[in-house]
Amino acid sequence: MPPGASVADVGCGDGQLALHLAASGHRVIATEARPGPAARARERLGECRLGAGLTPLQPGEADVLVLAGMGGGTMARVLAASPEVAGAARLWILQPMQRVERLREWLAAGGHQVERELSSSQRRRVYTVLVVRPRAA
């Protein structure tokens, strides 16, 4: 995560990642489409915007978009549905749970550059994390 970056945790769930990012000194905007998890995130963070995908965000409001814990196809649809918001971010950090190849194909077709690929593991499961520089809108 770039130092001092403002970060949108899209689909934040219960807000654990957003809480960690805020504790690390980042300005964090947490969003969640489901009322139950959004309420739990609000309890942890004090604020969580309710809405699907990138709709709770304004273009340029976040330097970095984090999408984690959803499928690669879903991530592609979320980013494609709000090109103004997605294209205004400097970086996307994407952690797809499945269909990584579908996401890679969508990124390549759109001219988005995967700058770095990382692996993370938790409880015997290995996750792929893509750090993407979006093509300018």
Side-chain angles (χ1 to χ4, degrees):
M1 192 65 62
S6 58
V7 182
D9 183 2
V10 179
C12 71
D14 63 5
Q16 287 184 25
L17 176 62
L19 187 64
H20 172 75
L21 291 168
S24 299
H26 295 282
R27 179 181 161 273
V28 179
I29 304 164
T31 73
E32 177 56 53
R34 299 167 299 157
R40 286 189 292 281
R42 252 184 237 107
E43 289 173 11
R44 279 196 167 161
L45 305 167
E47 181 184 355
C48 178
R49 297 180 188 177
L50 185 61
L54 303 181
T55 58
L57 301 170
Q58 296 297 313
E61 191 172 20
D63 301 319
V64 180
L65 302 179
V66 176
L67 284 78
M70 55 187 90
T74 300
M75 288 181 178
R77 285 190 299 277
V78 165
L79 293 165
S82 299
E84 303 83 17
V85 174
R90 293 185 315 180
L91 277 179
W92 302 338
I93 298 178
L94 310 175
Q95 183 270 302
M97 296 298 285
Q98 69 267 346
R99 305 228 165 118
V100 176
E101 287 308 315
R102 181 181 287 181
L103 180 59
R104 280 193 186 103
E105 290 169 5
W106 180 84
L107 291 167
H112 308 293
Q113 180 68 42
V114 176
E115 290 193 343
R116 194 166 172 203
E117 184 170 332
L118 309 161
S119 292
S120 176
S121 62
Q122 183 179 28
R123 296 188 188 119
R124 297 184 181 180
R125 182 163 175 154
V126 177
Y127 300 97
T128 299
V129 179
L130 304 174
V131 179
V132 178
R133 177 108 18 222
R135 186 188 79 201

